[in-house]
Amino acid sequence: MSARRKTAARRQAPAARTAAAAVAARPKVTVASLQDLKRAGQPIVMVTAYDFPFARLVDAAGADVILVGDSLGMVVLGFESTLPVTLEHMLHHVQAVARARPRALLVADLPFMSYQVSPQQAVRSAGRLVQHGGAEAVKLEGGERMLPMVEAIVRADIPVLGHLGLTPQSVHRMSGYRVQGRSAEARRRLRREARQLQDAGCFGLVLEAIPAALAAEIRTAVRIPTIGIGAGAACDGQVLVLHDLLGLTEGAMPRFVERFAMLGDAARTGVAAFAAAVRAGRYPRPEHEYGS
């Protein structure tokens, strides 16, 4: 390492130790913690993560909840939807995130067809994500039809996060990724299902792609935290897909996505610089070599 890099590393070390100490001293987030945040009017921050290094970064940044979402199928595995994601896929990624030992609450998605068949199937799948994956709670999509599954999982002492509005596992029934809850009937149904999921034992609700006014109504109608994604500012918290907010995904984004960094551009620049240095003979240099 050059003298300049050694000096820079020494300067960064105290700051890194201070940040690490702050993370270590942060209280562990639990289901009860999220209820406390709602009562205090403190917004809840949820971010997805799918592997060990990003889980550490998200946790160090102060997220309250890390969601290992089945969105990994699209942003990590290259599928066109979340439907091909299996329980084995989820277990693999939940285990990686759990190894980071996050202070944030670790929630794992139940993937398509791992819970819809019966309450018994739902309990088995949720149990595997907790017992073998290291998750501390699970999330499932759907309203009234999913109440028996929610109740069964909760009876097994596994916390459940509900998900209403645009539910990506229902993409074919919904005829695409469309905003939900625009008709009077749909609004009434979503308000009713939010209360039903609460009464079935859900500790919180994700509200996706619904009108902001409806999300505000649901928030006041339930006692549990609501976490929005494309549901406006009235929710108790917000969630975004990590790769979207960091600028690691390409193509058109939903209108609710804001890119808070552009790591995709930085990564391309860095790899291109490495390739150019190798081809020009500028890397490796003598300081990168080992002596005999």
Side-chain angles (χ1 to χ4, degrees), residues 21-40:
V23 171
R26 179 176 167 224
K28 172 64 183 170
V29 179
T30 64
V31 169
S33 303
L34 300 183
Q35 190 66 56
D36 291 341
L37 290 175
K38 177 180 174 72
R39 282 194 291 264

Side-chain angles (χ1 to χ4, degrees), residues 118-135:
S118 68
Q120 293 76 20
Q121 182 206 33
V123 172
R124 284 195 296 269
S125 298
R128 290 191 68 196
L129 288 174
V130 172
Q131 186 174 40
H132 302 296

Side-chain angles (χ1 to χ4, degrees), residues 1 17 23 63 69 114 126 155 157 160 197 201 209 234 242 246 252 269 283 286:
M1 183 184 291
R17 285 195 295 269
V23 171
S114 71
R155 281 197 301 271
D157 290 331
V160 178
L197 286 169
L242 179 69
L246 292 182
T269 299
Y283 178 87

Side-chain angles (χ1 to χ4, degrees), residues 110 115 118-120 122-123 126 138 140 142-162 193 195-203:
L110 283 165
Y115 61 97
S118 68
Q120 293 76 20
V123 172
V138 298
L140 57 74
E144 190 167 4
R145 291 178 297 127
M146 294 300 116
L147 294 178
M149 288 64 166
V150 172
E151 291 168 348
I153 296 170
V154 171
R155 281 197 301 271
D157 290 331
I158 298 173
V160 178
L161 179 64
E193 290 184 327
R195 291 190 292 268
Q196 290 174 324
L197 286 169
Q198 171 189 263
D199 294 344
C202 283
F203 70 85

Side-chain angles (χ1 to χ4, degrees), residues 81-106:
S81 73
T82 63
L83 300 183
V85 176
T86 66
L87 191 61
E88 297 307 318
H89 288 136
M90 292 303 305
L91 279 168
H92 177 83
H93 289 273
V94 173
Q95 289 165 351
V97 171
R99 291 184 194 111
R101 299 183 179 275
R103 308 302 295 174
L105 181 70
L106 176 51

Side-chain angles (χ1 to χ4, degrees), residues 10 12-23:
R10 284 196 296 269
Q12 293 170 0
R17 285 195 295 269
T18 300
V23 171

